Amino acid sequence: MSTGWIVIGVLVVLVLFAFAAYNRLIALSQRVGQAFADIDVQLKQRHDLIPNLLETVKGYAAHERGTLDDVVKARNAAMSAQGPGQVAAAEGQLSGALGRLIALSEAYPDLKANANFQQLANELSDLENKIAASRRFFNNAVQEYNTGIQQMPAALFAGIFGFTRKDFFDLGADRSTVEQVPTVKF
């Protein structure tokens, strides 16, 4: 009789532990989702700022069509990207194109002195800093989640519950381009 109670006690402890592990993994997964949503909000603000910046530059640098077209193409690709991997790659391309666009101001003193351009460039610089902070928060959340599903004894239940590794917001080959926040000089 006492052996039966011991077995039942062990099973109850295992079930309670499975519930605790599941709830912890759910919380970590939700944190990753929330962190990616934060990045998405910042990126949307960036995408919304770009048309205004382009219109301002067009008036001063109309013959720089290639640079303007590159920014438009990169913005469209970034807006349609899905998931951390695709978004990171598309945003890397967009950051490079924006850097070239901002560099145009050096060649056009009137553009550089334009108050609207200055304001938009400052907003862009501020957004780039916010995106970098959001990206760090997201990668921290992914690291905690990935660690959580790999640590024993939760690792025994993670696969059963359908928890799989999540990807970091990795900049890959475009890392050096993105790490250089566009410099705004007036």
Side-chain angles (χ1 to χ4, degrees):
M1 213 41 169
S2 64
T3 309
W5 285 111
I6 291 174
V7 170
I8 290 173
V10 168
L11 288 175
V12 166
V13 168
L14 285 174
V15 167
L16 289 175
F17 181 77
F19 279 131
Y22 179 80
N23 287 337
R24 181 174 179 271
L25 294 176
I26 287 291
L28 291 172
S29 179
Q30 291 296 321
R31 184 169 180 229
V32 170
Q34 181 237 342
F36 189 72
D38 289 348
I39 290 174
D40 200 40
V41 166
Q42 299 295 331
L43 294 177
K44 177 152 179 24
Q45 288 177 345
R46 180 186 191 196
H47 298 159
D48 291 345
L49 177 68
I50 291 171
N52 295 333
L53 188 61
L54 287 174
E55 284 302 314
T56 302
V57 172
K58 274 183 192 177
Y60 291 91
H63 67 279
E64 299 285 353
R65 197 81 204 140
T67 302
L68 298 174
D69 288 343
D70 288 348
V71 172
V72 170
K73 288 177 190 171
R75 177 183 179 261
N76 291 340
M79 289 178 68
S80 64
Q82 300 293 317
Q86 284 184 357
V87 170
E91 290 299 327
Q93 294 295 321
L94 181 57
S95 291
L98 284 173
R100 291 188 298 278
L101 180 70
I102 296 296
L104 282 178
S105 69
E106 295 298 320
Y108 298 92
D110 290 341
L111 172 63
K112 191 176 181 179
N114 181 288
N116 191 33
F117 178 79
Q118 289 176 354
Q119 177 190 356
L120 292 169
N122 285 334
E123 286 179 40
L124 179 63
S125 182
D126 184 47
L127 278 171
E128 294 293 339
N129 290 331
K130 289 177 181 177
I131 291 167
S134 295
R135 193 172 53 239
R136 283 190 299 273
F137 181 76
F138 173 79
N139 285 340
N140 183 351
V142 168
Q143 183 268 329
E144 287 179 11
Y145 170 82
N146 287 343
T147 300
I149 65 170
Q150 293 173 346
Q151 288 179 329
M152 290 301 281
L156 298 173
F157 301 103
I160 294 168
F161 293 141
F163 292 97
T164 58
R165 269 183 78 74
K166 298 206 184 271
D167 294 328
F168 289 97
F169 197 101
D170 187 20
L171 301 175
D174 295 327
R175 179 178 302 279
S176 61
T177 303
V178 176
E179 285 178 347
Q180 297 174 2
V181 174
T183 305
V184 180
K185 298 177 188 175
F186 297 106

